[in-house]
Amino acid sequence: MDQESVVSKSIRYALLIFSLAVVLIPVYVLIITSFKGLGDADPSRTWFLPQSWEFGNWSKAWDSLAEPLLRTFMLVIPSSLISAMLGSMNGFVLSKWRFPGANVVFTLILFGMFIPYQAVMIPLLQMILDLAANLPDPSAIQGIPTLIVLHVVYGIPITTLIFRNYYESVPTELIEAARVDGAGMLRTYFSVVLPISIPSFVVVLIWQFTSAWNDFLFALFFSSSSNGPVTLALNNLARASILADYGASMAGAVITSLPTLIVYILLGKYFVGGLMSGSVKG
């Protein structure tokens, strides 16, 4: 191995180690602070290990976040599945079952990706309040049900884009063969297209799961601490006392981040493969 190759490899490894350190330093601070008491969790002692290990921070955080965690799963699972199915159907129709004006419809759907939440928050809130006022039990749609609808609606543009790009790489001959056999649009979708859509479903489900799980703005406007997701409960945990309880807050942050971390660990390789599967047509 020549000297130039050794130097190049050394630089490459040094950059990787530096990048790893940059990523792991906040994780290190997060974890060690979660075991510190009120007096020990001081900014001047950020980098030091706890003087005494306080495991009570974790039980306090769990007591505050257990029910919101369950509600968050009730939010992210249906919203991810529904938006993925709708995006898959849209992508199939817009790529393989074209109709006059399909490109215009696709452009209008994508336009929803560029509308910031903040621009429509007040009109959305007023619309939800008006709808709730006409129901026998207005509280029935508050909290998780409202958030599910919002995340499905805001998820449709990105899921449609991902599935349309993926279906563009599916051979048109496969669809034409199904038509020759007498299959209509729905039969072709469920019998031919859906079984080969697993890579894109993995990408979309991870994306939607993460987006809904980490959302705070919708939760702040359309739910409360009694019926909202875990991000709202984590914010309330950090503000629960006059003296900031950094230990419990950091423990809560670790607990809250675990589900998305587990999802990426288990499905991360499929996520990258699904993204690349629709990148090349043919």
Side-chain angles (χ1 to χ4, degrees), residues 9-22:
K9 184 175 291 188
S10 300
I11 294 175
R12 189 183 308 119
Y13 280 116
L15 290 175
L16 287 174
I17 294 173
F18 174 76
S19 300
L20 181 63
V22 170

Short mmCIF file of all heavy atoms in Angstrom, two decimals, residues 9-22:
data_model
loop_
_atom_site.label_atom_id
_atom_site.label_comp_id
_atom_site.label_asym_id
_atom_site.label_seq_id
_atom_site.Cartn_x
_atom_site.Cartn_y
_atom_site.Cartn_z
N LYS A 9 -6.66 7.13 3.54
CA LYS A 9 -7.47 6.32 4.45
C LYS A 9 -7.47 6.90 5.86
O LYS A 9 -8.49 6.89 6.55
CB LYS A 9 -6.97 4.89 4.45
CG LYS A 9 -7.81 3.93 5.30
CD LYS A 9 -7.34 2.50 5.17
CE LYS A 9 -7.63 1.97 3.78
NZ LYS A 9 -7.35 0.51 3.69
N SER A 10 -6.32 7.40 6.30
CA SER A 10 -6.22 7.98 7.65
C SER A 10 -7.11 9.21 7.76
O SER A 10 -7.80 9.40 8.78
CB SER A 10 -4.77 8.35 7.96
OG SER A 10 -3.94 7.21 7.91
N ILE A 11 -7.11 10.05 6.74
CA ILE A 11 -7.96 11.25 6.75
C ILE A 11 -9.42 10.85 6.77
O ILE A 11 -10.24 11.44 7.49
CB ILE A 11 -7.64 12.13 5.53
CG1 ILE A 11 -6.22 12.70 5.63
CG2 ILE A 11 -8.66 13.26 5.41
CD1 ILE A 11 -5.79 13.50 4.42
N ARG A 12 -9.76 9.83 6.00
CA ARG A 12 -11.14 9.37 5.93
C ARG A 12 -11.62 8.88 7.31
O ARG A 12 -12.70 9.24 7.78
CB ARG A 12 -11.28 8.26 4.89
CG ARG A 12 -12.73 7.87 4.61
CD ARG A 12 -12.83 6.73 3.63
NE ARG A 12 -12.06 7.01 2.42
CZ ARG A 12 -11.05 6.29 1.99
NH1 ARG A 12 -10.65 5.23 2.69
NH2 ARG A 12 -10.43 6.60 0.87
N TYR A 13 -10.79 8.07 7.96
CA TYR A 13 -11.16 7.56 9.28
C TYR A 13 -11.21 8.68 10.31
O TYR A 13 -12.06 8.66 11.21
CB TYR A 13 -10.18 6.48 9.72
CG TYR A 13 -10.46 5.13 9.10
CD1 TYR A 13 -9.55 4.52 8.25
CD2 TYR A 13 -11.66 4.46 9.37
CE1 TYR A 13 -9.81 3.28 7.68
CE2 TYR A 13 -11.93 3.22 8.81
CZ TYR A 13 -11.00 2.64 7.96
OH TYR A 13 -11.26 1.43 7.39
N ALA A 14 -10.30 9.64 10.20
CA ALA A 14 -10.30 10.76 11.15
C ALA A 14 -11.58 11.58 11.02
O ALA A 14 -12.18 11.99 12.03
CB ALA A 14 -9.08 11.65 10.91
N LEU A 15 -12.02 11.81 9.79
CA LEU A 15 -13.27 12.54 9.57
C LEU A 15 -14.47 11.77 10.10
O LEU A 15 -15.40 12.34 10.68
CB LEU A 15 -13.44 12.85 8.08
CG LEU A 15 -12.47 13.88 7.49
CD1 LEU A 15 -12.67 13.99 5.98
CD2 LEU A 15 -12.68 15.24 8.15
N LEU A 16 -14.45 10.44 9.91
CA LEU A 16 -15.56 9.62 10.41
C LEU A 16 -15.61 9.65 11.94
O LEU A 16 -16.68 9.76 12.54
CB LEU A 16 -15.39 8.18 9.91
CG LEU A 16 -15.68 7.94 8.43
CD1 LEU A 16 -15.34 6.50 8.05
CD2 LEU A 16 -17.14 8.23 8.11
N ILE A 17 -14.44 9.56 12.57
CA ILE A 17 -14.40 9.60 14.04
C ILE A 17 -14.86 10.96 14.55
O ILE A 17 -15.60 11.06 15.54
CB ILE A 17 -12.97 9.27 14.53
CG1 ILE A 17 -12.63 7.82 14.20
CG2 ILE A 17 -12.85 9.53 16.03
CD1 ILE A 17 -11.18 7.44 14.48
N PHE A 18 -14.43 12.02 13.87
CA PHE A 18 -14.86 13.36 14.27
C PHE A 18 -16.38 13.51 14.13
O PHE A 18 -17.04 14.04 15.03
CB PHE A 18 -14.15 14.41 13.42
CG PHE A 18 -14.62 15.82 13.66
CD1 PHE A 18 -14.24 16.50 14.80
CD2 PHE A 18 -15.47 16.45 12.76
CE1 PHE A 18 -14.68 17.80 15.03
CE2 PHE A 18 -15.91 17.73 12.98
CZ PHE A 18 -15.52 18.41 14.12
N SER A 19 -16.93 13.04 13.03
CA SER A 19 -18.37 13.12 12.82
C SER A 19 -19.12 12.32 13.87
O SER A 19 -20.16 12.75 14.39
CB SER A 19 -18.74 12.61 11.42
OG SER A 19 -18.09 13.37 10.42
N LEU A 20 -18.60 11.13 14.20
CA LEU A 20 -19.22 10.30 15.24
C LEU A 20 -19.20 11.00 16.59
O LEU A 20 -20.20 10.97 17.32
CB LEU A 20 -18.49 8.96 15.33
CG LEU A 20 -19.03 7.96 16.35
CD1 LEU A 20 -20.45 7.55 15.99
CD2 LEU A 20 -18.11 6.74 16.43
N ALA A 21 -18.09 11.66 16.90
CA ALA A 21 -17.99 12.38 18.18
C ALA A 21 -19.00 13.53 18.23
O ALA A 21 -19.65 13.76 19.27
CB ALA A 21 -16.57 12.90 18.37
N VAL A 22 -19.14 14.26 17.12
CA VAL A 22 -20.09 15.38 17.08
C VAL A 22 -21.52 14.89 17.32
O VAL A 22 -22.31 15.53 18.01
CB VAL A 22 -19.99 16.12 15.72
CG1 VAL A 22 -21.12 17.12 15.57
CG2 VAL A 22 -18.64 16.82 15.60
#
